[in-house]
Each structure stands twice: as C-alpha cells, then as structure tokens.
Amino acid sequence: MPQTKQMLQQCVADTPIQIRESEHGLLILDINTELCSASMALQGAHVMTWQPKGEAPVLWLSPDAKLEKGKSIRGGIPICWPWFGEHATESTFAAHGFARTADWELVSTSELAGGGIEVVMRLLDTQTEQWKYDTPVVIKVIFGRTLNIELTTTNQSNASIQLSEALHTYFNVQDVRQIKVQGLDSCEYVDKLEAYQRKTQQGAVFFKQEVDRIYINQSSNVVIQDKVLNRSIHINKQGSQSSIVWNPWLDKCKAMGDLGADDAYLNMVCVESGNAADNTVTLEAGGTHRLSVSYHLA
Ligand code: TA6
C-alpha cells in the first residue's frame, strides 16, 4: 500500500523536511536548511531541485514538468533503471525503464552532523511484466552544499541479470552555447544522432546543435564549466563506466512539449552518470551493484 502524506509526516517529524502534495497527488519532500534547499518526489525517488544557499539552482526543472502519477518528471534527476534508453528487445516498453515512474517507499530521513539531510528510499516490488527479476533497489541521497547519491541494486533472483542505468541529471546553465564539458577528452562515444556511430572525443564538449552521446568505458570525473555563471559543476562518480551528454536543441525542445519555452534548451544540459551500451552490468544472482555520484560547485 503506498505511503500516505500522514505516514510520511511522521517519518520526517524530527527533521527540517516538509511533505507537500502536488495538485495531481504526487508526494514531495521539501528540504530547507542552512546549507541548501531541495525537493524530492516519492514517485521515481526523483530529486527535483537542489540549490546550495547563495547559489543559482544547480539542477534544472522544467516549468512544464508534469507532476502527475505515472508520468516522468522533466528535469532534476530521473532514475533510468533497470535499462537505459530504449528496451533492448521490446519497443513498447518505456524508454529508460520503469523506476522513474514507480511508487518508491520512504525508508528513513535523518539530519547529519554538519547539517546534511539524508533521505533513503527503496523500490522493493520490482517484478512486473516488463521485468521478472527480484532486484530491489535503494537510493540514498545526502542534501548539503554537496549532493551525494548512491543507487544500490541487489539481485535476489536466482539468475544473473543485465542491468543498464543512469542518473539522468539535468543541470541548470545560463547559456548552453557558452559552456563546455571537460573530462571526456579522448573517450570513445556512441553518437545517437549519427546512426550510433562510434567516435572519439577531441577535447572538451561544446554545444552548437543537438548533442546525444553515450561515452563508454569512461569512469573519470566530469566538469561543466559555465563561464556566464562563473562557476563549474563537478561530477565525481564511482561504479559508473558511462557518461551520457544530451541537449535537445531547438527542434526537439519544441517537439517534446514539456521543457517549457521553445528556447528552454539554452538553460539546461544533461550529463548523466551510469552504465549503458557496452557498459551494461552483468549482476550475478545474490550480487550487489552500486552507482554513486556527488555534485559540487567550485
Ligand atoms: O539520455 C539522453 C536521452 O536518451 C535522449 O535520447 C532523450 O530521449 C532523453 O534521454 C530524454 O528521454 P525521456 O524519455 O526522458 O524523454
């Protein structure tokens, strides 16, 4: 049975977390501390916003994001799981898996020494007609001046599974045409816009048109340099062999219909940490896999 607003309010009673219900019934945790403000929906265990005190928002959330049951929220950090992108064999299955539209359960919240807020959510009932495996997944998020996320999958089934995943993070930038993404130099990538051709990155990534690339065998940290906001967003990851870089540009931004204004693409860039394409994880029966990432400004 899904948790009610009253049950959640009991869970967060001794923390600076408020529970809000969207007009379409999504339950959302609102966090406001000396370190940051943030919000996280129970549906999809979806971190929607994160803004360190005194800084511009770090995550981008569409003003047209549908906060509705069963609809993926456009922006923040959608969890792509247990597959990334289109399903390998079933074209009718939702892209990026079902975790981001599922009802997760709030497990715990706590205020840490130093002022960070820890939130733990889990998705226990993973066996559906689209996924027959008992593979509970737990997310632990620590909201502070740094945002830390751990996504842990346990294979409780008696068969090995093929898991692809990503924290599909939308970052807020002042003008995507004036940023660069560093840390991917010389990496091989799959170019989804050119028949999934494999190419090699030369230097930093710049944005003058739509970009949709899966960088493979890439475990190093990544940095988004935003010279207009005069800041850099540091993406430090573990348990991730892929980084996906995406900006829809004008035509796709207009076509998608939930990014807000036609030029909304100028204010966002996705740099996603995960395991996709060649880096799909084989998780043996009884095994556990952890993907973790932290974001901070400098
Ligand atoms: O991660 C990039 C991508 O796979 C793009 O191809 C685009 O489809 C984007 O994800 C958004 O996907 P969504 O299913 O959230 O609309």
Side-chain angles (χ1 to χ4, degrees):
M1 177 190 80
Q3 292 168 306
T4 64
K5 184 176 178 182
Q6 290 67 32
M7 292 162 77
L8 297 182
Q9 281 169 331
Q10 288 170 2
C11 191
V12 305
D14 302 326
T15 72
I17 300 174
Q18 301 294 315
I19 304 298
R20 148 168 72 103
E21 186 167 357
S22 76
E23 63 177 312
H24 296 289
L26 288 197
L27 291 173
I28 297 165
L29 282 64
D30 283 326
I31 293 160
N32 199 349
T33 70
E34 289 179 359
L35 301 180
C36 72
S37 59
S39 59
M40 183 175 185
L42 224 64
Q43 176 178 281
H46 194 126
V47 177
M48 296 163 52
T49 62
W50 172 59
Q51 182 174 7
K53 279 295 187 282
E55 303 289 351
V58 180
L59 303 183
W60 178 87
L61 181 68
S62 169
D64 289 355
K66 305 279 188 292
L67 300 184
E68 299 176 14
K69 287 192 180 300
K71 286 191 183 298
S72 174
I73 299 168
R74 181 68 64 195
I77 308 176
I79 297 173
C80 303
W81 185 97
W83 62 83
F84 178 86
E86 300 302 323
H87 188 275
T89 57
E90 301 292 340
S91 60
T92 60
F93 290 5
H96 293 325
F98 53 82
R100 63 178 176 166
T101 53
D103 287 327
W104 289 56
E105 176 191 355
L106 179 62
V107 177
S108 66
T109 60
S110 53
E111 193 165 5
L112 306 176
I117 298 293
E118 180 186 279
V119 176
V120 179
M121 296 185 182
R122 66 186 179 191
L123 181 61
L124 294 183
D125 185 8
T126 62
Q127 291 173 288
T128 67
E129 72 279 2
Q130 296 191 357
W131 182 257
K132 60 180 190 260
Y133 305 104
D134 179 9
T135 55
V137 56
V138 177
I139 189 169
K140 180 171 82 171
V141 187
I142 297 177
F143 296 94
R145 289 201 66 77
T146 296
L147 182 63
N148 293 295
I149 302 171
E150 287 180 2
L151 187 71
T152 304
T153 302
T154 301
N155 182 1
Q156 293 181 166
S157 70
N158 55 16
S160 71
I161 63 163
Q162 297 298 307
L163 173 69
S164 58
E165 61 186 346
L167 296 171
H168 193 298
T169 306
Y170 289 72
F171 291 99
N172 170 50
V173 296
Q174 191 63 33
D175 181 348
V176 75
R177 298 166 301 190
Q178 301 189 58
I179 71 166
K180 61 183 175 181
V181 174
Q182 295 176 299
L184 300 171
D185 185 19
S186 305
C187 292
E188 184 180 10
Y189 67 89
V190 176
D191 189 339
K192 290 177 65 176
L193 302 176
E194 294 200 22
Y196 289 73
Q197 280 181 55
R198 285 158 187 261
K199 304 177 181 177
T200 301
Q201 180 61 39
Q202 305 297 329
V205 182
F206 294 91
F207 299 84
K208 306 298 178 200
Q209 60 192 14
E210 182 181 1
V211 171
D212 196 349
R213 302 173 183 174
I214 304 172
Y215 290 83
I216 55 177
N217 306 322
Q218 183 279 330
S219 56
S220 57
N221 297 332
V222 178
V223 181
I224 302 169
Q225 294 274 9
D226 183 337
K227 69 178 181 183
V228 180
L229 283 181
N230 189 31
R231 71 180 187 185
S232 53
I233 302 172
H234 291 256
I235 302 165
N236 296 349
K237 63 175 190 171
Q238 289 83 34
S240 161
Q241 291 295 319
S242 314
S243 286
I244 300 96
V245 178
W246 176 60
N247 183 281
W249 219 249
L250 176 60
D251 292 346
K252 190 159 286 179
C253 181
K254 286 162 60 175
M256 294 181 86
D258 63 351
L259 278 92
D262 288 352
D263 64 353
Y265 69 95
L266 293 173
N267 299 118
M268 49 77 65
V269 64
C270 284
V271 180
E272 309 154 38
S273 304
N275 293 288
D278 302 28
N279 302 129
T280 295
V281 174
T282 297
L283 187 56
E284 299 301 336
T288 292
H289 164 74
R290 175 166 297 152
L291 162 63
S292 55
V293 68
S294 75
Y295 304 128
H296 73 271
L297 296 175

